[in-house]
Amino acid sequence: GFVTNVEAAYPVSSDPMRVKQTYMDMIRVDQAWAAAADSRTPIIVAVVDTGVDLGHPDLVGNLVEGVNLLQPTKKPWDDNGHGTNVAGLIAATINNDKGIAGIAPNAKIMPIKALEADGTGGEAKLGEGIKYAVDHGAKIVVLSLGLNKYSSYLAGIVQYAEDHNVLLV
């Protein structure tokens, strides 16, 4: 039979903006959280994007060291907003009475700034960002972007990630 008294890995979120996150209901996140096994083991998720707001109150506890590939002497601060948005969807702190709930509260975000302030970028920096993530412990690399042509260079980078058991999303 079914065991029904098992404590859920994550409680149902009480974050103030959670009610507006209708996509969370569409993917049945509360059921997924209830079925999740070990919620304490962190997993590093690299966000290769425009950077991340490193001081964001809903993310600050869920960040690991990243890199700014456009200005290597600077931190990967977001000068667009897109990377921060993506990072929040993944790993915003749950039940902290701030903002939204992230889908994977045990995720630690590795911010990798590979895109310009206007959201554009080149395949060289993109590939460099993926390789950095793989080489620095990310298990998942999120690429909320598109490429308008085939690239044998990026195909090789994708193979590199797969050879290291890193999931590209």
Side-chain angles (χ1 to χ4, degrees):
F2 290 100
V3 178
T4 55
N5 61 350
V6 175
E7 190 174 324
Y10 304 113
V12 173
S13 169
S14 62
D15 293 284
M17 298 303 288
R18 170 62 183 91
V19 293
K20 296 192 181 288
Q21 292 179 273
T22 53
Y23 56 88
M24 297 277 262
D25 303 317
M26 292 168 74
I27 65 169
R28 299 203 263 315
V29 78
D30 289 338
Q31 292 93 317
W33 286 342
D38 181 8
S39 62
R40 293 169 305 282
T41 303
I43 183 166
I44 297 176
V45 179
V47 175
V48 180
D49 210 294
T50 57
V52 170
D53 177 351
L54 304 176
H56 195 292
D58 224 5
L59 289 171
V60 77
N62 294 336
L63 298 172
V64 298
E65 194 70 32
V67 68
N68 184 332
L69 298 174
L70 304 182
Q71 296 178 288
T73 59
K74 296 191 173 162
K75 291 196 175 291
W77 280 97
D78 192 351
D79 50 12
N80 172 286
H82 188 265
T84 301
N85 190 23
V86 171
L89 293 173
I90 299 165
T93 303
I94 190 170
N95 291 335
N96 62 344
D97 291 322
K98 293 183 180 97
I100 63 169
I103 291 172
N106 63 322
K108 298 293 182 198
I109 298 295
M110 176 187 290
I112 299 179
K113 181 164 180 58
L115 300 179
E116 301 284 350
D118 65 359
T120 63
E123 63 187 78
K125 291 293 181 206
L126 194 56
E128 195 181 328
I130 296 167
K131 188 168 185 322
Y132 179 94
V134 171
D135 292 345
H136 290 83
K139 294 296 170 208
I140 300 171
V141 179
V142 174
L143 305 151
S144 181
L145 47 85
L147 190 65
N148 58 6
K149 63 179 172 39
Y150 176 79
S151 164
S152 58
Y153 164 70
L154 280 176
I157 294 287
V158 167
Q159 188 61 55
Y160 180 79
E162 289 181 356
D163 290 346
H164 288 81
N165 295 315
V166 173
L167 174 66
L168 301 183
V169 180

